Amino acid sequence: MKKYIKKIAVMTSGGDSPGMNAAIRSVIRSASYYKLESVGIYRGYQGLIEGDIVKMDARSVHHIIQKGGTILKTARSDEFRTIEGRKKAYDNLVKHEIDAMVIIGGDGSFTGGMIFNQEHGFPLIGIPGTIDNDIYGTDFTIGYDTALNTAVEVIDKIRDTASSHNRLFFVEVMGRDAGFIALNAGIGAGAEEILIPEENMGLDRLLMTLERSRRSGKTSSLVVVAEGDKTGANVFELASYVEENLPEYSVRVSVLGHMQRGGAPSCFDRVLASRMGVKAVELLIDGKTNLMVGQLNNVMVTTELEKAIKEHHSISKEILRVSDIMSV
Ligand code: ATP
């Protein structure tokens, strides 16, 4: 039987991503629209264990849609990985008379949520918030579009320097297990080569491409590398390898790092977050639980949390082919 909910909670967990605030705002405003009470849980699961819970309403989330980061803060919690920690978290939800929860985070946060639901039967819905775009069940995660645009903007600037000095730049972008940012930013910024965790194109091919570029008269080049690229070499080792084998290139390395996580969310991420927040609250009102909200082909959809965690969001072969053709 459907259990009517009166009060919902929202939290951000794991790594932050631009657009999380827009998602918080959407959850709180949707709750208000449906005449539900709402609270914000600070610092993810750790804040829940410590009872860091604050009452919110439609007005508490004004002027945050354009802000990067998360007003609720985020954290990683080792204590939540224990049965005792999760029991404390549950007790706090009961104490605050919270009936359901929206978790904005990545697959780790969803795994924690799923285990919590199995132990305590507590209703929860996940919203995918991570710049890596590596979550199954959605074409886009909140923050990915912004991070991608940040990366392209910076790579364009590096290109100016590369061409002024006839240099070869290796630019490392975020993505330990997923090459979405590297591949798309690489194509968008016109990189000569793109190295991603999903594909091993081999160091020989890299040398070949660069050599061909040089012979065709190119005096500067850009190679975009994801943190977790398949060659197994980090960006500095790659640069040294190329310098040793192609001494005519003057090689430089630029690691973009955390700047890719910050900044105002793009309009795309704000709209995506707003749509996901509404859907999450409506699912909870409908008595649904253990689902992740996603957007596939511009339609809001749901995926079982378990599936979202286990399955892999693959890079399309078509976009890999485009990148291949562009590096000719
Ligand atoms: P990102 O993709 O940005 O890293 P994430 O949500 O995957 O985000 P994690 O650090 O993996 O980030 O997970 C966030 C939190 O979820 C952890 O700190 C922990 O509290 C909880 N969590 C993750 N895995 C488990 C698990 N197996 N059991 C219980 N809790 C977990």
Side-chain angles (χ1 to χ4, degrees), residues 137-153:
T138 189
D139 287 334
F140 305 104
T141 56
I142 297 170
Y144 165 65
D145 181 68
T146 307
L148 193 56
N149 283 298
T150 302
V152 168
E153 196 184 321

Side-chain angles (χ1 to χ4, degrees), residues 234-272:
N234 73 33
V235 70
F236 292 98
E237 289 164 348
L238 280 170
S240 305
Y241 178 80
V242 168
E243 222 161 18
E244 274 161 31
N245 289 279
L246 297 174
E248 54 280 20
Y249 269 113
S250 162
V251 185
R252 294 289 184 277
V253 171
S254 195
V255 176
L256 301 196
H258 282 84
M259 71 158 76
Q260 294 160 94
R261 279 209 182 157
S266 64
C267 181
F268 181 90
D269 275 329
R270 297 180 199 192
V271 175
L272 178 69

Side-chain angles (χ1 to χ4, degrees), residues 25 28-29 32 38-39 54-62:
R25 173 180 180 270
I28 301 292
R29 292 255 159 113
S32 174
S38 57
V39 297
V54 174
K55 186 173 161 34
M56 294 180 91
D57 59 31
R59 300 280 70 77
S60 357
V61 288
H62 74 286

